[in-house]
Amino acid sequence: MPVPPLCEYGRYLSPPLLDETTLKDYGRAVGRLDDHLTGLGSDVLSAVESDLASYRDQRTRWQKKPIGWAAWGKESFVQDDLYGFLVDRKILTHRPARVAARGRNALAPQVRSPVELGPVADSP
């Protein structure tokens, strides 16, 4: 586990930026990601997009109680924030996952436009 960069990220997030509950949520999300990457023989600093996609699939499809897309959206945001921090601090040269349209995290839940969802029924 690359402790110094993760500790730097934790100090960056510390109050007053986030409240205690949110800090704990971020810490757990980063810890789960790190544990998954360790199981793949990787770590936060050497992860590639397929490692992060594997983690997404584990959390949303394969774990005993998969999380929904809303919960995954929050975890995806934490990952994106972590990797943005690591790039901004020049700890990494680039994010492990490509950046999708309009700067979106490519591993975030898909947002469908109203056209893709189909027509909305009129209210009675």
Side-chain angles (χ1 to χ4, degrees), residues 105-117:
N105 173 354
L107 299 173
Q110 296 298 317
V111 176
R112 294 186 177 183
S113 70
V115 174
E116 293 176 82
L117 295 174

Side-chain angles (χ1 to χ4, degrees), residues 71-119:
W72 173 251
K74 292 175 186 174
E75 288 215 17
S76 176
F77 174 83
V78 173
Q79 282 181 32
D80 195 49
D81 191 57
L82 169 64
Y83 282 109
F85 170 84
L86 295 173
V87 170
D88 289 348
R89 292 293 197 290
K90 302 196 182 336
I91 296 167
L92 292 176
T93 59
H94 62 280
R95 295 168 188 257
R98 68 195 183 287
V99 177
R102 288 180 250 149
R104 281 182 41 84
N105 173 354
L107 299 173
Q110 296 298 317
V111 176
R112 294 186 177 183
S113 70
V115 174
E116 293 176 82
L117 295 174

